[in-house]
Amino acid sequence: MNYQWYPGHMTKAVRMMKENIGLVDMIVEITDARIPVSSRNPDIDELGKGKQRLIILNKADLSDPEKNAQWVEYYRSQGYMASLLDSRTSKDMGKIKKLMEETCADKIARDKARGIVNRPIRAMVAGIPNVGKSTFINHLTGKAAAKTGNKPGVTKGKQWIMLGKTLQLLDTPGILWPKFEDQTVGAHLAMIGSMNDDNIDSGELAIDLIKELESDYFDVVFKTYNITDDDVESAIEEEHLMTSYSGMLCAVAKSRNLLLPGARPDYMRAANLILDDFRAGRLGRITLENAPMQ
């Protein structure tokens, strides 16, 4: 399946970010810790040239703890400030604020040398859709300062948000890029919900996810849905299927009693169940991308 989704408002959002980049001291890039590469928009690297950078690996409570540590080490080795963030709580926000100050320490020192004191740090919060930018801002401010939602495209325009006298945040809409050169990137974005599900074949996407899980999380589907190899083989034979992946979907449907009239397994409901369970962390803590070897 060809994974692409670039609604018209994203062109406007990119233009708005370019117009406002000169107003900020740094870019705080929110990514999804489950797909640290695919959830980084290359346009933000180009946009942020010359700006201080902080990469937040959000939803780290849903991703693999061992791989989390590897990714933070990797980004720091590349010269970025980087930090993990639990998407459910605000417990790490004190650490994040300190990191933002450390990221801009040189600029603060230059301002002080020029007699400019107590000038607030201005940070642009950027990222792709549905990685938790607005939730991050609300945790950081301690109030509902930004709109949130579990679907991409909630934030439509820019808004400045004040954090006392020391920090100003510019919230921006989530932006993808017009063409994914690597379709694995598009698939990963669809898996975490950063693309409109109405434009996705959930059956194909669920199979792509099962394939991704084979390398490091081979047994997670079997354990979560209490199915066996025999169940898969039976589904393949009874439903005249071509692949073991389709057999797994049908076995999941039977295990969870997701049936069509005539007791036929409901392939699409099973696919949607697996995708929903992955996104909610019910399959366990999973990271689909590995950090490059140091």
Side-chain angles (χ1 to χ4, degrees):
M1 182 166 57
N2 185 35
Y3 296 99
Q4 296 291 342
W5 184 57
Y6 192 75
H9 74 269
M10 289 188 183
T11 300
K12 181 180 178 181
V14 172
R15 184 168 63 249
M16 179 270 292
M17 292 173 71
K18 289 179 179 178
E19 291 170 352
N20 287 275
I21 191 67
L23 303 177
V24 302
D25 305 310
M26 66 180 298
I27 296 178
V28 179
E29 183 179 1
I30 311 298
T31 67
D32 190 304
R34 295 168 295 180
I35 52 167
V37 174
S38 298
S39 60
R40 293 198 65 212
N41 187 336
D43 291 344
I44 294 176
D45 277 337
E46 181 65 25
L47 184 71
K49 283 184 177 179
K51 297 294 179 181
Q52 298 299 316
R53 302 288 299 279
L54 171 60
I55 296 176
I56 303 294
L57 292 156
N58 196 25
K59 305 188 182 182
D61 49 300
L62 302 177
S63 54
D64 188 315
E66 183 176 348
K67 293 184 181 182
N68 283 346
Q70 292 168 357
W71 274 109
V72 169
E73 182 180 354
Y74 169 73
Y75 281 132
R76 289 176 178 171
S77 75
Q78 300 301 301
Y80 294 102
M81 284 285 192
S83 181
L84 300 170
L85 185 64
D86 183 329
S87 61
R88 302 167 300 176
T89 71
S90 57
K91 66 179 182 179
D92 296 321
M93 288 305 162
K95 179 178 68 176
I96 298 297
K97 287 181 181 179
K98 185 177 180 181
L99 273 176
M100 293 175 72
E101 292 173 358
E102 290 177 6
T103 302
C104 290
D106 290 344
K107 181 173 180 56
I108 293 170
R110 289 195 301 270
D111 284 349
K112 190 174 182 180
R114 294 162 56 194
I116 303 171
V117 294
N118 298 323
R119 177 185 177 276
I121 297 170
R122 285 187 159 191
M124 177 182 286
V125 182
I128 66 169
N130 209 35
V131 290
K133 296 188 304 301
S134 296
T135 300
F136 164 78
I137 289 172
N138 290 341
H139 281 322
L140 198 61
T141 60
K143 58 184 179 181
K147 295 180 181 179
T148 62
N150 60 1
K151 291 186 177 182
V154 173
T155 303
K156 295 296 186 182
K158 71 174 183 179
Q159 54 178 329
W160 282 100
I161 298 164
M162 309 296 294
L163 274 75
K165 297 180 179 179
T166 60
L167 186 61
Q168 296 178 1
L169 301 180
L170 176 58
D171 188 17
T172 61
I175 56 170
L176 293 174
W177 48 111
K179 183 175 176 59
F180 304 131
E181 298 298 334
D182 182 354
Q183 278 296 296
T184 300
V185 170
H188 285 177
L189 292 172
M191 288 169 191
I192 67 166
S194 287
M195 302 174 73
N196 190 333
D197 283 337
D198 293 339
N199 300 327
I200 300 298
D201 183 321
S202 58
E204 290 190 33
L205 182 60
I207 284 179
D208 284 347
L209 175 59
I210 292 171
K211 290 178 181 178
E212 290 275 341
L213 296 174
E214 277 189 320
S215 57
D216 292 339
Y217 310 97
F218 176 77
D219 60 349
V220 68
V221 173
F222 290 93
K223 288 183 176 179
T224 301
Y225 302 105
N226 194 29
I227 62 174
T228 65
D229 287 327
D230 288 342
D231 295 327
V232 175
E233 291 300 322
S234 295
I236 292 172
E237 183 176 349
E238 292 171 5
E239 301 299 323
H240 308 290
L241 304 173
M242 298 296 293
T243 70
S244 60
Y245 305 113
S246 297
M248 289 176 72
L249 283 181
C250 287
V252 168
K254 290 182 177 182
S255 174
R256 291 298 176 91
N257 202 34
L258 305 175
L259 303 176
L260 296 166
R264 296 285 304 281
D266 192 330
Y267 182 92
M268 298 307 294
R269 286 176 66 195
N272 286 323
L273 174 66
I274 291 172
L275 292 171
D276 288 345
D277 285 345
F278 168 70
R279 292 170 181 175
R282 290 187 289 269
L283 296 185
R285 298 182 64 177
I286 292 170
T287 300
L288 297 178
E289 298 170 346
N290 295 318
M293 298 296 291
Q294 298 296 303

